[in-house]
Amino acid sequence: MKTAVYPGTFDPITLGHMDIIRRAAHLVDRLVIGVTTNPSKSPMFTVDERLEMVKREVADVADGRISVVAFDSLLMDFAVREGAAMIVRGLRAVADFEYEFQMAGMNQQLNDDIETVFLMAGVSLQPIASKLVKEIALYGGDIGRFVTPAVAAQVRARVDEIGRKGG
């Protein structure tokens, strides 16, 4: 059974993430979506909230072959624990590639038995980034083209809690 891990912070999960998840699920027998922390990012949602959000969003895609798991460790250690043969990473632009290429190289140094596979986001989804979705929402913009209605509602509710920016 071929298993892959698709790691990310998913803060929040976007239509771009969902595109990669759907496509990656066709490439493997089992896809593990790893929801993690990233010390360089300021999350809008807790790990538990993101875990539930991702589970809800992939429920229709899951088909029993997708699991959603929180982790707070080296990606390669997590991949080994999950029995993964590959890491799936989504790419949007050249800037993504440079960062992801460096990460793939470091991960290969840690464990060269696990391959990194890059999937390009669909053309219409390439500009979408969680960071930008949060920024748009914080300034009162419409994020409905970038996330599902349920995620948009959850982001709006969080913005209402923490307060909008700008005037």
Side-chain angles (χ1 to χ4, degrees):
M1 177 189 301
K2 182 77 73 176
T3 298
V5 167
Y6 178 39
T9 52
F10 305 103
D11 185 50
I13 188 168
T14 68
L15 297 178
H17 292 129
M18 292 300 298
D19 179 54
I20 298 297
I21 289 166
R22 283 186 191 92
R23 292 172 45 226
H26 290 293
L27 300 176
V28 295
D29 301 310
R30 179 174 167 253
L31 179 64
V32 179
I33 301 170
V35 178
T36 189
T37 57
N38 184 333
S40 67
K41 296 182 179 180
S42 300
M44 179 176 273
F45 298 98
T46 67
V47 171
D48 288 339
E49 289 169 330
R50 289 182 277 131
L51 194 63
E52 290 308 311
M53 182 187 300
V54 173
K55 285 179 181 179
R56 180 190 68 228
E57 294 302 313
V58 302
D60 291 343
V61 181
D63 200 19
R65 299 179 309 115
I66 297 177
S67 56
V68 182
V69 179
F71 77 102
D72 186 20
S73 65
L74 286 174
L75 172 58
M76 298 313 272
D77 292 343
F78 176 66
V80 167
R81 279 194 306 273
E82 293 296 328
M86 75 175 74
I87 306 296
V88 173
R89 298 298 295 163
L91 294 177
R92 294 174 305 221
V94 173
D96 279 354
F97 179 76
E98 291 173 0
Y99 172 78
E100 293 295 345
F101 183 77
Q102 182 179 24
M103 291 302 298
M106 291 299 288
N107 285 336
Q108 187 179 37
Q109 294 291 318
L110 294 173
N111 186 333
D112 64 358
D113 291 331
I114 300 175
E115 291 293 333
T116 299
V117 175
F118 299 109
L119 295 178
M120 295 295 296
V123 174
S124 65
L125 303 171
Q126 286 179 6
I128 302 173
S130 293
K131 178 181 176 181
L132 298 176
V133 168
K134 290 186 288 191
E135 188 172 328
I136 292 166
L138 285 167
Y139 282 97
D142 179 15
I143 59 171
R145 291 175 288 173
F146 314 121
V147 296
T148 65
V151 171
Q154 200 167 351
V155 171
R156 280 192 301 273
R158 182 55 44 93
V159 168
D160 288 346
E161 287 175 22
I162 62 178
R164 274 187 19 186
K165 294 185 178 194

